[in-house]
Amino acid sequence: MIWDEVGEDEFEREKVLVDIEQECLDVYRRKVDNANISRARLHQDLADSEAEFTRLLLLLDERSLLGRVTF
């Protein structure tokens, strides 16, 4: 009804709807990309922390703990 009140034709309506849909898809893709980047960073941080922990255990000569530690 609003479209009719404003006087927009069917072509303009479709164009606006397609533009809105594309903007939504772009926002969704950016959010997914950011989530994937964050997940990759977290995995890398975890791997770095595990390596540092193992290094510290070896420095402290705590080899007996190495087999028991699970991440």
Side-chain angles (χ1 to χ4, degrees):
M1 290 186 331
I2 294 173
W3 292 105
D4 292 332
E5 291 175 10
V6 174
E8 294 290 340
D9 62 11
E10 188 68 28
F11 176 77
E12 280 299 315
R13 293 178 192 181
E14 286 299 317
K15 183 178 178 293
V16 169
L17 291 175
V18 167
D19 289 345
I20 291 171
E21 184 176 311
Q22 186 61 48
E23 286 180 40
C24 290
L25 287 171
D26 291 344
V27 168
Y28 177 76
R29 282 189 193 111
R30 278 194 307 272
K31 287 185 177 282
V32 168
D33 290 343
N34 288 339
N36 287 334
I37 290 168
S38 294
R39 182 172 40 255
R41 283 184 186 145
L42 287 171
H43 282 287
Q44 186 60 54
D45 289 345
L46 179 61
D48 293 345
S49 295
E50 290 172 350
E52 178 67 10
F53 184 68
T54 299
R55 187 182 76 75
L56 291 171
L57 285 177
L58 290 172
L59 283 173
L60 295 171
D61 202 25
E62 296 292 338
R63 297 176 199 282
S64 62
L65 292 177
L66 287 175
R68 293 187 208 169
V69 177
T70 57
F71 298 101

